[in-house]
Amino acid sequence: MRYPHRSRMTHTPRFLLLAASLALVMGCRKPEIHSYVAPRDATLDNLAPAPGSEPMPRLTWSLPPGWEETKGGQMSVASFAIDDPNGGASVAITPMPNLAGREDAIVNMWREQVQLGPLSPEEMAKALEPVPVADGEGRIFEIAGSREGKAIRTIAAMLHRGAQSWFFKMSGDDAVATAHKAQFVEFLKSVRFSTGAPAMASSAPAPSAGAAPDAAPAASASPGFKWTVPSAWQVAPIGQMQVAKFSVPAQGEAKADVTVSIFPGDTGGTLANVNRWRRQLSLPETDEAGLAQCTQPLDATPGAVLADLKHENRAMLGAIVPRGGEYFFYKLMGDEAAVTAAREDFLGFVRSAP
Amino acid sequence: MTDRIWRFFTSLRLTVVLLGLGILLVFFGTIAQVHEGLWNAQTRWFRHLIVTRQMGDPWWVPPIFPGGYIIGIFLLLNLVAAHLKRFSLSSKKIGINLTHFGIILLLAGQLVTDMFSRESIMNFREGETRTFSEATREWELVFTRAIDDQRDEVVAIPDALLQDGAELRDAKLPFTVRVKTYWMNSEPSFRAPMQQNGPPLTDQGIARDWDFKMSPEAKGMDDRNNPTALIEIVGAKGEQLGTWVASSWAADSALVAGVKNAYTRSVGKDVAESIASKLTAPQELDVNGQKWHFAMRPERYYKDFSLTLLKTTHDVYPGTDIPKDFRSRVLLKSPGTGESREVDIYMNAPLRFGGLTFYQSTMGKDEVQQDVGRSGLQVVRNPGWLTPYAGCLIVSVGMVWQFLYHLTGFIRKRRAPLAAAAA
């Protein structure tokens, strides 16, 4: 097949134009920043933060003399130590989801911790007194009790503010807490909430004042637990949702681990958690009646339970211990021989203050 | 010089070489999918001018090889140049010319499709209205500022610009965005009280409660990367305005629902919601009195019309999970044309409007409200969608013409001796 030849001069410009166009098309794909005006975004409506999770305000305060700021607890945004010749006391500021209307339950829960019974509505009305906190009015109450034969006192104030309830709690030796009550009340008045992006906050705290760098209940980088860990236990890498993990001494081939998790709630209650543990041992789920068969109260700690589970050479001791508004979940799980051998150490560990 | 270029592009040898390279390219690109995944292999081998050997490539990958773009464009130029050189308008050549023109149309159409087509997803639940669709693979870091009660000013930075160390500026932004780290794929983990042992990525925003770490790049067609960027905001005078995390995990309702569900199983619903809400907490900058929110979200393509999902229908064959019929009834409103009509979109019955085609893609229940239906429409914009049909038709006509032309000539030649013999 022969093609008739055409003049190159006739077609070259058109051809080059085509080639240039293709090159231009290829060059159009460079990504660049662009801006536009769009209708207000409603896409994330269903992702809106739940009440209590809105950005935390920044806190500032005036520190009374003799108070020393310490590293905040796991749920608290600030804490202080009071050193006194008569003993010691500590103060903590802790935000929680708004608990307005549940003051009675809160007071009674704290009373339980010092082995006091619940108050009647009339007694509760008297116990909860108004107190100025920051720019609002909170409620203050006192609980005097004993722990290990020692007189202790808790003076706590709560302020419901927006999506949060703020708890200011001074607790310690009875004499010290009583002596510093006036300072504590002044401290409550000095607290100030400010909003805005923390990084852009322009108001630096005065030298005599303190500030929570950011009032989120995030933990410090260091766990900083005070609990008593048996010397034979080996620290192990923690997993998701765990705060600590240990390997207990092996009994021949039998091995077991201890894990600790802490949550701001009871994560579904004792039955749900025990059933979750039962499933981990391939045991069938139980009901409230069966729960009593496999759990027992843990010493005198109010609300604390110990679950004792065994199945096919595997065993588990699980403890749920409410402490200061948080729930500590302890679990010793592994081969039965190792679990049995570590039982007393485990119980001692659970009882030790974290 | 021009003469040599012209001879080069009109050479039939070039055609043969390019076709040979094309065969090798298809071979390499197909085998590469085993290691690179379908999406990455297609992008690397067929959507680049040049393919160069990279670390970790199998031994057979050449150091340098022409990519799909260069082979396709050279083939197109070669075909056009050959036509310009040899074109003649005669009945004998009409078939050949038509066939070649059809092939040119196919090549050009594929190039247009590749360069300008776009697939995205419009995902909404019953009752929701959408004026945009979202990319399935591309992400953007957006800074938004309210300009009135209804509208936001948006500055969008495509993920392609989010390179480690990049400094990004825009006239609309009163600050510079410095990218400290960009992970194409990432995983989040909640900084549970007392659990975390290391410091957070930064002490601002969601990073106080959530850690993020790099994950291997997703390579499958059905897998998706979820990027996270650690960005530093620098004021107009060079002052540091903080370091923040912008993560896709915080801006995608499906991802957040997945996180929530995962934690619900281990810690219960209430705590899981509290944990998830710390991931979606809005992040805001206050710079020179302007409040800017920022987020890492799928790239958005806004339309000048809206679709409202009125109803979803998801029927299965009785006793099975096999879909029988799933369709979305949407209300189309277009202020520009004044249209306001209800449309059913279902399998093989897409909605074509505004140069876009809406196909029924996914269907299910809303992650938050389980009694509310959710629908995903695949939105396709392809300005070259007609070219394959037109190209194939023209090639067919040209081949039939050429065949018939030769057939009639052959028959005529056979008849001529017979007629002569009869005479």
Side-chain angles (χ1 to χ4, degrees):
Chain A
M1 187 181 299
R2 286 173 57 88
Y3 291 93
H5 277 241
R6 306 275 291 184
S7 162
R8 146 180 94 75
M9 296 306 292
T10 311
H11 300 301
T12 302
R14 274 185 265 173
F15 177 75
L16 291 178
L17 188 65
L18 174 68
S21 303
L22 289 171
L24 193 65
V25 166
M26 300 298 293
C28 285
R29 289 165 62 88
K30 188 181 173 187
E32 56 187 22
I33 300 174
H34 56 284
S35 59
Y36 52 87
V37 173
R40 174 68 39 80
D41 190 1
T43 309
L44 299 181
D45 279 355
N46 56 350
L47 303 182
S53 61
E54 68 184 29
M56 292 280 188
R58 183 187 178 92
L59 266 71
T60 56
W61 55 78
S62 293
L63 206 59
W67 289 27
E68 187 181 345
E69 190 166 352
T70 57
K71 185 172 280 188
Q74 301 309 317
M75 294 297 287
S76 56
V77 297
S79 61
F80 313 93
I82 303 172
D83 196 17
D84 190 282
N86 297 318
S90 62
V91 177
I93 305 175
T94 308
M96 297 288 283
N98 195 310
L99 298 167
R102 298 173 64 186
E103 291 84 356
D104 294 9
I106 295 162
V107 172
N108 283 330
M109 183 187 75
W110 284 5
R111 286 178 64 82
E112 280 181 17
Q113 291 181 12
V114 289
Q115 300 163 42
L116 293 175
L119 296 178
S120 66
E122 294 75 24
E123 291 171 325
M124 188 66 72
K126 288 180 186 172
L128 283 168
E129 296 176 10
V131 65
V133 180
D135 49 358
E137 186 179 84
R139 289 285 183 276
I140 193 168
F141 60 95
E142 290 186 43
I143 301 171
S146 64
R147 184 179 294 157
E148 297 172 356
K150 194 172 167 185
I152 58 169
R153 180 173 293 270
T154 295
I155 303 175
M158 62 180 109
L159 173 72
H160 307 303
R161 187 178 185 279
Q164 286 99 31
S165 288
W166 292 84
F167 291 86
F168 303 83
K169 179 183 173 188
M170 177 169 68
S171 60
D173 294 325
D174 187 42
V176 179
T178 304
H180 287 82
K181 181 178 177 182
Q183 282 187 336
F184 181 64
V185 172
E186 286 303 311
F187 170 76
L188 295 176
K189 285 183 194 168
S190 75
V191 171
R192 290 292 177 269
F193 294 93
S194 59
T195 55
M200 314 304 169
S202 57
S203 57
S208 61
D214 185 56
S220 62
S222 168
F225 296 113
K226 296 174 185 170
W227 51 35
T228 308
V229 180
S231 57
W233 290 10
Q234 298 289 320
V235 175
I238 58 173
Q240 275 284 341
M241 311 305 290
Q242 296 169 355
V243 299
K245 185 175 181 181
F246 307 94
S247 296
V248 304
Q251 303 295 314
E253 295 291 318
K255 295 177 181 173
D257 292 323
V258 173
T259 57
V260 188
S261 301
I262 303 172
F263 295 105
D266 64 358
T267 69
T270 303
L271 180 61
N273 281 292
V274 170
N275 276 331
R276 180 166 56 81
W277 287 342
R278 290 178 68 87
R279 287 196 296 274
Q280 290 172 10
L281 282 186
S282 303
L283 285 166
E285 292 191 3
T286 186
D287 54 14
E288 287 289 352
L291 187 64
Q293 305 295 319
C294 59
T295 60
Q296 55 183 300
L298 185 65
D299 299 333
T301 310
V305 294
L306 178 70
D308 196 344
L309 308 172
K310 287 176 190 167
H311 186 237
E312 293 180 352
N313 299 326
R314 301 276 292 166
M316 178 196 294
L317 282 175
I320 305 172
V321 184
R323 284 195 182 107
E326 296 175 308
Y327 283 77
F328 285 62
F329 291 79
Y330 299 85
K331 190 170 76 174
L332 167 61
M333 180 175 167
D335 299 313
E336 186 176 355
V339 171
T340 304
R343 181 185 178 93
E344 290 308 314
D345 278 351
F346 175 74
L347 292 176
F349 172 68
V350 171
R351 290 183 188 112
S352 66
Chain B
M1 181 66 183
T2 317
D3 200 32
R4 289 177 64 186
I5 293 173
W6 180 250
R7 276 208 305 273
F8 173 76
F9 275 107
T10 53
S11 162
L12 290 177
R13 284 181 192 154
L14 177 64
T15 314
V16 174
V17 169
L18 288 172
L19 288 175
L21 288 173
I23 291 169
L24 284 174
L25 180 74
V26 170
F27 177 75
F28 289 149
T30 305
I31 299 296
Q33 290 171 20
V34 176
H35 304 284
E36 299 177 36
L38 188 57
W39 175 264
N40 287 351
Q42 281 188 354
T43 304
R44 182 184 172 200
W45 288 88
F46 302 112
R47 296 194 181 117
H48 275 91
L49 290 170
I50 298 290
V51 182
T52 52
R53 188 180 170 83
Q54 296 174 355
M55 289 281 288
D57 275 341
W59 61 268
W60 47 263
V61 173
I64 190 165
F65 199 80
Y69 279 166
I70 209 162
I71 291 178
I73 288 172
F74 270 63
L75 261 178
L76 183 59
L77 292 173
N78 178 233
L79 204 54
V80 171
H83 244 268
L84 291 173
K85 182 178 177 181
R86 300 179 176 101
F87 180 78
S88 73
L89 192 60
S90 67
S91 58
K92 186 179 177 183
K93 300 295 178 192
I94 282 179
I96 290 174
N97 289 335
L98 280 174
T99 305
H100 283 141
F101 179 68
I103 293 172
I104 289 171
L105 201 58
L106 283 173
L107 283 170
Q110 180 54 43
L111 187 64
V112 168
T113 297
D114 205 63
M115 305 292 288
F116 299 108
S117 72
R118 179 194 290 153
E119 289 184 9
S120 54
I121 287 284
M122 185 176 278
N123 219 328
F124 41 14
R125 58 181 172 178
E126 286 172 342
E128 279 188 331
T129 299
R130 282 280 177 275
T131 56
F132 61 85
S133 57
E134 294 177 315
T136 53
R137 290 182 177 274
E138 293 79 20
W139 296 82
E140 60 187 11
L141 174 62
V142 291
F143 292 84
T144 58
R145 180 177 71 94
I147 54 175
D148 57 35
D149 291 342
Q150 304 285 326
R151 298 175 305 156
D152 284 336
E153 179 174 47
V154 182
V155 177
I157 304 174
D159 58 355
L161 297 178
L162 299 175
Q163 309 286 340
D164 288 3
E167 292 210 357
L168 305 162
R169 298 181 186 84
D170 186 82
K172 296 275 175 60
L173 292 177
F175 48 81
T176 298
V177 181
R178 189 175 290 160
V179 182
K180 295 185 80 171
T181 307
Y182 179 71
W183 296 322
M184 186 181 290
N185 199 9
S186 62
E187 273 182 29
S189 63
F190 179 58
R191 293 174 61 81
M194 290 198 281
Q195 177 180 334
Q196 62 277 39
N197 292 318
L201 284 171
T202 172
D203 57 359
Q204 316 258 32
I206 60 173
R208 293 181 309 230
D209 296 298
W210 284 85
D211 281 331
F212 298 88
K213 64 177 182 180
M214 187 173 71
S215 288
E217 183 186 352
K219 293 180 175 176
M221 285 298 276
D222 296 329
D223 299 331
R224 191 173 74 154
N225 287 312
N226 295 303
T228 293
L230 187 62
I231 55 172
E232 188 176 16
I233 307 298
V234 182
K237 295 174 184 170
E239 69 274 25
Q240 301 291 318
L241 300 178
T243 302
W244 305 73
V245 161
S247 177
S248 56
W249 287 92
D252 187 296
S253 59
L255 292 179
V256 174
V259 167
K260 202 183 292 182
N261 290 340
Y263 278 102
T264 298
R265 284 193 290 275
S266 56
V267 298
K269 184 169 176 287
D270 292 344
V271 178
E273 281 190 356
S274 171
I275 289 172
S277 68
K278 293 181 189 305
L279 181 63
T280 57
Q283 302 198 95
E284 186 182 84
L285 301 166
D286 192 343
V287 185
N288 300 340
Q290 293 182 354
K291 288 188 175 175
W292 289 88
H293 286 89
F294 62 91
M296 180 80 73
R297 70 186 189 191
E299 193 171 328
R300 285 188 186 175
Y301 313 113
Y302 280 89
K303 328 290 178 200
D304 54 5
F305 58 89
S306 69
L307 291 182
T308 303
L309 182 61
L310 301 175
K311 186 174 184 295
T312 58
T313 306
H314 189 182
D315 294 335
V316 294
Y317 287 98
T320 72
D321 292 330
I322 301 169
K324 180 181 180 184
D325 177 34
F326 53 105
R327 65 178 63 206
S328 300
R329 168 151 291 219
V330 297
L331 174 64
L332 167 66
K333 279 190 174 179
S334 173
T337 61
E339 281 183 83
S340 177
R341 59 187 167 98
E342 293 185 11
V343 187
D344 270 344
I345 301 173
Y346 51 98
M347 201 180 296
N348 297 328
L351 163 67
R352 295 185 195 276
F353 189 80
L356 302 169
T357 309
F358 295 79
Y359 298 93
Q360 183 64 62
S361 177
T362 60
M363 185 155 284
K365 292 295 180 188
D366 187 64
E367 299 92 352
V368 179
Q369 293 173 269
Q370 285 292 316
D371 56 337
V372 176
R374 178 172 275 281
S375 177
L377 303 177
Q378 187 185 33
V379 186
V380 178
R381 186 196 71 175
N382 184 6
W385 72 281
L386 275 174
T387 52
Y389 301 105
C392 286
L393 187 67
I394 292 170
V395 168
S396 303
V397 169
M399 291 177 77
V400 169
W401 177 284
Q402 202 63 22
F403 172 72
L404 290 177
Y405 180 84
H406 283 285
L407 183 65
T408 51
F410 175 73
I411 292 171
R412 204 176 292 127
K413 278 182 187 171
R414 280 198 62 184
R415 279 184 179 168
L418 290 174

